């Protein structure tokens, strides 16, 4: 009958939403266990110079391998952890993993590169992100100039004075501070004017899809950043066409599936070298 049909349809339509809510609840109540049991670990995505495709470094991105739900991506847990005021637990753990893994590579004589890590604005209010980083960097003896802090532009609103202070603390100590997702927030230009960043990471939405309008905006932003003398990284680069376009306009760094997806460190480095070789051969 019609009632059963409507009810079946309702069930089917709301199933993804219900699962999303379930995962949110799960994440919020299992963050301590996830950290304790090592379900969370950093994956690393390569960042390269646009001009010659030499490796610049990696961005560390959190991955949560859940025994029940399988591999969870940040979109399913970052917001839930921010809303439940627990994001600092994840970020502190990521900082420790990144520094510890750095030390292991040095001890094994493996090559090391700069690493960028994502901080949430809340990290500065829930606990002392700067001190946590300082403690880990000292403990594992990581050179500060190898660490970049990424702060999402959309999180810069409010408490301007406090954020300025925090950014200065990192920069004065020798860390680079990068503005993430530039152009996605409410006050991009205002943020650029108020704070000093070592790199602007242009949000991937401007080149995805790769439309004429998007290209014009990217061209303008690259020109503006050159005038401001701030280098630009464009994220979400997936095609050779996009790379050629960005090169012509003097974009400094690129990141995206063209160079490799986020993976465990060793795998990511190997994969990048293979892709780099292929892109190089294809280009000459
Ligand atoms: P983000 O910092 O802007 O990181 C870039 C995101 O774009 C990553 O998603 C990456 O996997 C994805 N991406 C990279 N290249 C491409 C590409 O060519 N095409 C497309 N379509 N996507 C690409 P991911 O890993 O899912 O992370 C999402 C966001 O979650 C990150 O955005 C970052 O804001 C946040 N996040 C990730 N890890 C952490 C963390 O440890 N702490 C905090 N606070 N936030 C994190
Ligand atoms: Mg980032
Ligand atoms: Mg980004
Ligand atoms: Mg982004």
């Amino acid at each position: 009958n019609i009632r059963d049909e409507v009810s079946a349809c309702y069930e089917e339509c709301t199933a993804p939403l219900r699962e999303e809510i379930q995962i949110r609840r799960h994440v919020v109540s299992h963050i301590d266990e996830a950290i304790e049991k090592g379900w969370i670990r950093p994956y690393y995505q390569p960042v390269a110079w646009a001009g010659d495709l030499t490796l610049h470094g990696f961005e560390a991105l959190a991955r949560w391998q859940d025994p029940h739900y399988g591999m969870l991506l940040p979109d399913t847990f970052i917001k839930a952890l921010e809303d439940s005021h627990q994001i600092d637990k994840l970020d502190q753990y990521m900082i420790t993993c990144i520094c510890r893994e750095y030390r292991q590579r040095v001890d094994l004589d493996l090559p090391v590169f700069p690493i960028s890590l994502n901080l949430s604005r809340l990290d500065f209010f829930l606990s002392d992100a700067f001190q946590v980083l300082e403690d880990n960097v000292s403990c594992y003896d990581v050179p500060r100039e190898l660490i970049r802090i990424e702060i999402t532009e959309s999180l810069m609103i409010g408490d301007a004075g406090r954020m300025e202070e925090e950014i200065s603390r990192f920069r004065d100590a020798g860390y680079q501070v990068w503005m993430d997702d530039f152009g996605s927030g409410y006050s991009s230009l205002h943020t650029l004017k108020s704070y000093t960043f070592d790199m602007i990471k242009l949000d991937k939405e401007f080149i995805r899809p790769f439309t004429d309008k998007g290209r014009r905006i990217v061209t303008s932003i690259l020109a503006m950043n050159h005038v401001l003398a701030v280098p630009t990284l464009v994220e979400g680069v997936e095609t050779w066409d996009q790379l050629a376009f960005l090169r012509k306009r003097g974009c400094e760094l690129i990141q995206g599936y063209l160079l490799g997806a986020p993976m465990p460190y060793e795998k990511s480095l190997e994969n990048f070298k293979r892709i780099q070789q292929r892109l190089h051969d294809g280009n000459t």
Side-chain angles (χ1 to χ4, degrees):
N1 72 33
I2 185 80
R3 186 162 279 172
D4 289 348
E5 244 171 72
V6 167
S7 151
C9 177
Y10 177 81
E11 286 296 308
E12 198 179 311
C13 293
T14 57
L17 186 63
R18 268 180 288 125
E19 169 153 276
E20 203 183 300
I21 294 168
Q22 246 176 34
I23 293 179
R24 267 185 78 91
R25 284 212 191 103
H26 174 78
V27 159
V28 165
S29 56
H30 288 78
I31 177 68
D32 294 318
E33 190 179 356
I35 287 172
E36 214 178 275
K37 298 197 170 150
W39 298 345
I40 298 169
R41 62 178 297 193
Y43 270 33
Y44 296 87
Q45 184 176 36
V47 169
W49 294 97
D52 60 3
L53 293 182
T54 49
L55 185 60
H56 171 81
F58 294 92
E59 177 175 16
L61 295 156
R63 294 294 180 265
W64 177 318
Q65 181 63 49
D66 193 82
H68 181 70
Y69 292 102
M71 176 68 96
L72 299 179
L73 294 174
D75 285 349
T76 62
F77 56 83
I78 298 290
K79 180 118 198 332
L81 293 175
E82 283 177 345
D83 292 347
S84 62
H85 289 186
Q86 304 188 85
I87 188 68
D88 58 325
K89 294 182 184 172
L90 172 91
D91 287 332
Q92 289 179 17
Y93 180 67
M94 286 287 288
I95 288 172
T96 301
C97 289
I98 290 160
C99 292
R100 193 172 51 209
E101 291 182 14
Y102 166 86
R103 173 54 33 203
Q104 288 164 353
R105 290 194 285 276
V106 170
D107 291 346
L108 291 168
D109 272 329
L110 294 170
V112 289
F113 296 93
I115 305 286
S116 21
L117 56 97
N118 294 279
L119 288 185
S120 162
R121 181 174 184 279
L122 276 181
D123 288 326
F124 303 111
F125 295 88
L126 294 170
S127 41
D128 191 346
F130 175 75
Q131 199 51 52
V132 170
L133 184 59
E134 281 288 289
D135 293 345
N136 278 280
V137 153
S138 311
C139 174
Y140 295 105
D141 201 12
V142 184
R144 289 175 180 74
E145 61 272 19
L146 287 187
I147 305 270
R148 290 92 174 78
I149 308 300
E150 294 193 6
I151 301 176
T152 303
E153 179 218 56
S154 54
L155 297 177
M156 301 290 297
I157 31 166
D159 286 292
R162 172 72 191 275
M163 283 313 285
E164 200 161 351
E165 223 170 83
E166 292 288 352
I167 291 173
S168 304
R169 275 170 96 194
F170 284 97
R171 296 191 76 240
D172 292 348
Y175 304 101
Q176 289 197 9
V177 177
W178 291 13
M179 186 200 289
D180 205 353
D181 300 331
F182 180 76
S184 68
Y186 303 102
S187 54
S188 310
L189 296 178
H190 186 237
T191 310
L192 256 192
K193 180 169 172 263
S194 311
Y195 308 97
T196 309
F197 292 95
D198 299 287
M199 183 74 59
I200 304 294
K201 290 190 78 169
L202 188 58
D203 195 64
K204 54 178 175 288
E205 300 311 317
F206 291 107
I207 57 162
R208 233 174 44 96
F210 199 39
T211 60
D212 183 53
K213 190 134 186 219
R215 281 194 288 271
R216 286 165 193 263
I217 292 174
V218 174
T219 301
S220 316
I221 293 174
L222 284 168
M224 177 183 74
N225 289 353
H226 287 147
V227 172
L228 295 172
V230 202
T232 311
L233 182 159
V234 174
E235 51 179 37
V237 178
E238 296 182 356
T239 67
W240 180 258
D241 274 2
Q242 291 170 336
L243 171 60
F245 167 86
L246 293 169
R247 270 181 175 165
K248 248 191 249 157
R249 282 153 188 85
C251 168
E252 279 82 6
L253 294 175
I254 60 159
Q255 182 180 347
Y257 296 157
L258 180 70
L259 305 178
M263 292 174 203
Y265 189 85
E266 304 285 305
K267 231 175 124 182
S268 186
L269 182 56
E270 246 171 63
N271 186 58
F272 172 76
K273 283 184 185 157
R274 205 168 40 236
I275 290 177
Q276 186 188 40
Q277 189 59 49
R278 212 177 58 212
L279 288 173
H280 187 78
D281 293 346
N283 193 29
T284 49

